[in-house]
Amino acid sequence: MIAVLAVHFHLQRKARFLADEMLAGNTEKFNRQIKANAWTALVRSGIWGLLFLIDGIWGWQQAEAGRFKFFFVILIFLGLFFFFWGFKNFSFEMKRKKDLR
């Protein structure tokens, strides 16, 4: 399952960059595409981060004292990681925008 997700992520990223290369000549459309990619990355990672955080916090509250707490700490850190990764990807994509000349 994880291998399928990794291959899917790689192919989606490759397709996105090929589409960006095709639009490189038209600066206005290129910037619009880059902005759309940035917002998509931010929303997607925000949703994953929220899911991991909710699952980690809910599991933490439901777990018996001392049992499986480490697993839920990992889920909470994964949620935070996805949030920060989304903001990093957003800023990286926005830096790729070209000046209108």
Side-chain angles (χ1 to χ4, degrees):
M1 179 71 171
I2 293 174
V4 171
L5 289 175
V7 169
H8 175 71
F9 174 76
H10 173 70
L11 292 177
Q12 287 293 324
R13 182 176 170 177
K14 187 175 179 179
R16 187 176 69 233
F17 283 121
L18 287 175
D20 293 345
E21 286 179 7
M22 289 173 33
L23 292 174
N26 189 344
T27 306
E28 183 180 338
K29 286 185 180 181
F30 179 80
N31 286 343
R32 203 172 340 146
Q33 183 68 29
I34 292 297
K35 190 186 289 187
N37 290 346
W39 280 104
T40 301
L42 183 65
V43 168
R44 183 184 302 132
S45 63
I47 289 171
W48 278 107
L50 190 61
L51 288 174
F52 277 115
L53 275 176
I54 288 172
D55 191 32
I57 291 171
W58 182 76
W60 180 278
Q61 293 172 351
Q62 300 299 320
E64 295 177 15
R67 293 186 63 199
F68 304 113
K69 292 284 186 172
F70 185 69
F71 176 71
F72 297 115
V73 169
I74 291 173
L75 285 178
I76 291 170
F77 280 124
L78 267 174
L80 293 174
F81 168 77
F82 273 106
F83 276 124
F84 290 123
W85 188 37
F87 287 119
K88 184 191 77 68
N89 282 340
F90 180 80
S91 65
F92 173 75
E93 287 288 329
M94 292 304 275
K95 288 178 185 176
R96 292 181 54 214
K97 287 175 62 175
K98 295 182 179 181
D99 293 332
L100 294 173
R101 292 180 196 188

